[in-house]
Amino acid sequence: MSELVIAIDGPVGSGKSTVARRVAEVLGYVYLDSGAMYRAVAWKALRNHVPLDSEEELQAMAGASRIDLLSTDDSFRVLVDGADVTDEIRSAAVAQAASKVAVIAGVRTVLVKEQRRAARGGGVVMEGRDIGTVVFPDAGLKIFLEASVEVRAERRRLEHAQKGECLELSEVLEEVRQRDRRDRERAVSPLVRAHDAVLVDNTAMNAEETARLIVLLARERDGAKAAVRKV
Ligand code: C5P
């Protein structure tokens, strides 16, 4: 199989990470989580007490930071200036802060450049909010993942619970709604489905079923690409 860029976008709890990881594993591609970069910037801002609405300071901080995504077959690690922050960036506080720093155009410019660099050469599954619309408008396959807000909140609650963070479903539902609003309504790179993205609603599908569907679509796209190359 040749090397497509597969863009998977969708809201919180739509299953992007699990699905994208599995698709990459089946196809032998590299998995890249763009949200981890926004979380990394947010983590550093919280740690250094940089106000989350200070555009200039956040842009400068993002530009001066080194964020490494280390993707191997069985792990995905995130380093900020050499320090491993993989687990720390998954807290509810960092998630909220990430969706705040993500509204800042200057921060997005810095991170989009890094994302394009990381996916040079293809053979990549990248997940996020603007991958099919802004980062890779020419991606070989674009997927927009959706699920009902209640199902997404329950998935999120379970994720937090697995890390020992016990939250009420109503609390998580509110967190998900707030992040949805910020992601969908922001002026720069809002979360929208690219006109040529395949809409996959996985409210009633598990991650494995969703991943299989995407793998089938990828093989179909890749076959079509190969046929065009032969002509
Ligand atoms: O995907 P995840 O929930 O880890 O992303 C954290 C936050 O980063 C999101 O709520 C969103 O605001 C932001 N984000 C973004 N664009 C991306 C990926 C994530 O704005 N491509």
Side-chain angles (χ1 to χ4, degrees):
M1 187 149 169
S2 65
E3 307 281 84
L4 293 175
V5 169
I6 301 178
I8 303 185
D9 290 303
V12 183
S14 56
K16 293 184 305 293
S17 304
T18 318
V19 168
R21 218 184 272 260
R22 183 74 182 123
V23 170
E25 187 185 12
V26 174
L27 296 175
Y29 279 20
V30 172
Y31 160 71
L32 291 171
D33 169 10
S34 66
M37 291 183 161
Y38 291 91
R39 286 173 182 262
V41 171
W43 173 85
K44 190 167 170 181
L46 291 174
R47 191 183 158 100
N48 294 343
H49 307 288
V50 175
L52 297 178
D53 56 357
S54 170
E55 300 194 10
E56 251 171 60
E57 277 179 89
L58 287 167
Q59 180 178 354
M61 195 198 77
S65 303
R66 186 186 165 101
I67 300 171
D68 293 305
L69 304 182
L70 307 180
S71 187
T72 63
D73 281 353
D74 56 359
S75 81
F76 180 77
R77 318 275 333 151
V78 183
L79 309 187
V80 175
D81 302 325
D84 191 329
V85 296
T86 310
D87 298 326
E88 287 165 69
I89 62 168
R90 297 291 155 197
S91 71
V94 172
Q96 278 288 1
S99 73
K100 290 183 186 160
V101 305
V103 305
I104 296 171
V107 169
R108 302 199 71 87
T109 306
V110 170
L111 297 187
V112 166
K113 206 167 134 202
E114 285 304 306
Q115 288 152 17
R116 290 187 179 139
R117 203 168 52 85
R120 251 188 339 235
V124 162
V125 183
M126 189 177 288
E127 54 127 325
R129 304 292 189 288
D130 61 340
I131 309 305
T133 49
V134 175
V135 184
F136 296 113
D138 299 325
L141 176 62
K142 300 181 188 179
I143 303 291
F144 193 83
L145 277 188
E146 260 296 4
S148 74
V149 71
E150 291 79 11
V151 163
R152 293 189 288 116
E154 175 57 14
R155 289 176 184 163
R156 213 61 182 173
R157 193 190 64 78
L158 282 174
E159 257 175 53
H160 285 306
Q162 275 160 8
K163 289 180 301 185
E165 263 184 296
C166 289
L167 303 174
E168 291 293 326
L169 183 60
S170 57
E171 224 179 313
V172 185
L173 197 57
E174 187 46 35
E175 177 209 319
V176 167
R177 288 205 164 110
Q178 276 180 17
R179 286 177 63 196
D180 273 0
R181 210 171 304 127
R182 264 200 293 272
D183 286 347
R184 292 184 203 268
E185 293 176 5
R186 68 181 172 225
V188 265
S189 309
L191 171 68
V192 283
R193 174 185 168 194
H195 69 91
D196 51 353
V198 180
L199 175 66
V200 177
D201 186 321
N202 67 8
T203 302
M205 281 156 85
N206 65 26
E208 188 60 29
E209 290 163 338
T210 312
R212 277 169 192 239
L213 174 62
I214 297 173
V215 166
L216 284 177
L217 290 169
R219 292 196 167 131
E220 196 181 271
R221 285 290 160 93
D222 199 54
K225 242 175 100 178
V228 170
R229 277 195 300 269
K230 274 192 204 152
V231 174

